Amino acid sequence: SSCDFKPVKMQRRPVGPEDVLIDVRYCGVCHSDLHVAANHRAGGGMPTKYACVPGHELAGVCIAIGEKVTKVKVGDHVGVGCMVDSCLECKECLAGHEQKCRKMVLTYNTNDWSGRAATYPQGGHTLGGYTSKFVVHEKFSIVIPKSYPLECAG
């Protein structure tokens, strides 16, 4: 199969108390985005959930934060990698290895189990960074120095 990318309208969740709203300026195109979009991983037990919005190397500017956010400020340059949630309580998470958490939620094509990576319509799967706006829990955002060009962040 092949990729047939088309613009779609979608709604991001409202900014929660620990969330960051990013005005996305750039999103890298990774080979894994193309494989997922074309459903090449279905045989390995990871079928693509459509509508698929890939993109896990996104960078932009923070335009809003929740009231409990402490590490990001409005106006900061911010990036998001390949995951947007984990349990935050297991041994791996507490050691800073959220990528090894059994409950890790990928930036796209993964079901949200905690509500911290909620999508619309609710109960859907995560939708990635090929978008104009992105909402993420601050734990899974990366502050990018303003001296670093956003177009190189992915």
Side-chain angles (χ1 to χ4, degrees):
S1 59
S2 64
C3 300
D4 186 22
F5 290 112
K6 294 179 182 139
V8 296
K9 292 220 181 243
M10 60 186 208
Q11 179 181 350
R12 292 290 181 185
R13 71 178 187 270
V15 176
E18 298 174 292
D19 286 339
V20 175
L21 175 59
I22 302 168
D23 181 25
V24 178
R25 305 285 174 87
Y26 299 95
C27 188
V29 177
C30 177
H31 69 92
S32 61
D33 298 336
L34 301 176
H35 287 298
V36 170
N39 201 25
H40 292 161
R41 297 173 63 177
M46 296 182 71
T48 299
K49 299 168 181 148
Y50 294 102
C52 175
V53 179
H56 64 272
E57 299 172 345
L58 61 111
V61 177
C62 174
I63 57 173
I65 58 172
E67 64 270 10
K68 293 183 178 178
V69 171
T70 60
K71 88 175 200 183
V72 180
K73 297 177 187 67
V74 171
D76 281 352
H77 290 182
V78 182
V80 176
C82 63
M83 62 185 160
V84 293
D85 198 14
S86 67
C87 79
L88 302 176
E89 298 174 348
C90 71
K91 178 178 115 183
E92 297 295 353
C93 286
L94 294 175
H97 302 289
E98 293 88 355
Q99 73 276 12
K100 296 179 181 177
C101 178
R102 292 180 182 265
K103 294 184 176 182
M104 177 188 61
V105 176
L106 298 173
T107 305
Y108 64 90
N109 202 48
T110 307
N111 290 331
D112 168 50
W113 60 269
S114 73
R116 288 188 298 262
T119 59
Y120 284 89
Q122 288 190 327
H125 55 278
T126 53
L127 302 171
Y130 297 162
T131 182
S132 58
K133 303 287 186 272
F134 196 87
V135 180
V136 66
H137 187 284
E138 77 167 323
K139 172 78 175 165
F140 298 94
S141 66
I142 303 156
V143 176
I144 301 168
K146 287 192 177 180
S147 61
Y148 194 82
L150 284 179
E151 64 270 21
C152 297

